[in-house]
Amino acid sequence: MRFLLLAAGIIFLDQWSKWLVMGRLAEGQSLQLVENIFYLTYVRNPGAAFGMLPYRTTFFVVVTILVMVGIFLLFRYIPDDRIMLKYGLSLQAGGAIGNFIDRLRFGHVIDFFDLRFWPVFNIADVAIVLGVGILIVQLLKSDSRTPGEAGRLPREETSDS
């Protein structure tokens, strides 16, 4: 349940923050928060990360649905002791759904965090990147298995021994 709440919290914060930005800034308008470092800039992104593949909304909707199905199926098979892996997937799911809602409503994603040296992004993007980072760390993290067994499922014990 806590993983579902995390994803729902990300979706809520993402949509709420976008609503605030759209209600208070004109498209393209910037508000300086930290001089020469951090701005809020209202941008409509018709593409993916870094504006790649602009105006491919149908493609992104289909990909997001497939990713969500994959996350749901994978989530069910993750052992209960891999909590951080589940948190990572929850962050990814919340972020993907947050941007998915934008694509369905507007045909583009609302972005607003602006560091001036990086493309403008949003809370959903942050959640996706954090989730992927956690996923990578958890998959690379060594566990109690020997190096030769790292990617294998545990073998069943037999009574032949």
Side-chain angles (χ1 to χ4, degrees):
M1 180 58 95
R2 63 182 162 209
F3 306 109
L4 183 61
L5 288 175
L6 175 58
I10 294 297
I11 295 164
F12 173 79
L13 285 174
D14 178 66
Q15 291 297 302
W16 177 72
S17 63
K18 291 171 180 175
W19 175 77
L20 285 175
V21 166
M22 289 186 301
R24 288 174 171 65
L25 297 176
E27 184 179 356
Q29 182 182 357
S30 278
L31 175 64
Q32 180 178 279
L33 298 180
V34 178
E35 187 174 355
N36 297 319
I37 295 174
F38 185 54
Y39 298 78
L40 290 182
T41 302
Y42 178 7
V43 175
R44 294 179 185 185
N45 179 359
F50 308 106
M52 294 186 309
L53 301 172
Y55 306 103
R56 302 292 197 287
T57 303
T58 303
F59 170 76
F60 292 123
V61 166
V62 170
V63 167
T64 303
I65 291 169
L66 292 174
V67 166
M68 292 310 303
V69 168
I71 288 173
F72 175 75
L73 293 174
L74 180 60
F75 201 90
R76 296 176 59 210
Y77 294 101
I78 297 174
D80 289 338
D81 64 337
R82 301 297 304 264
I83 292 172
M84 289 306 295
L85 191 56
K86 289 185 174 188
Y87 279 131
L89 288 174
S90 296
L91 286 167
Q92 291 174 54
I97 292 170
N99 283 339
F100 179 76
I101 291 169
D102 284 9
R103 290 188 197 287
L104 291 178
R105 288 179 65 201
F106 311 119
H108 56 265
V109 173
I110 304 299
D111 289 329
F112 53 90
F113 290 139
D114 186 358
L115 301 173
R116 300 291 160 126
F117 66 88
W118 195 259
V120 182
F121 57 99
N122 60 45
I123 289 174
D125 298 333
V126 172
I128 291 167
V129 169
L130 285 174
V132 168
I134 291 170
L135 181 68
I136 290 169
V137 168
Q138 290 299 304
L139 292 176
L140 294 177
K141 190 174 157 182
S142 62
D143 56 31
S144 61
R145 293 178 278 196
T146 62
E149 297 176 330
R152 297 187 204 142
L153 294 174
R155 293 190 334 216
E156 290 184 29
E157 297 292 324
T158 61
S159 58
D160 296 344
S161 31

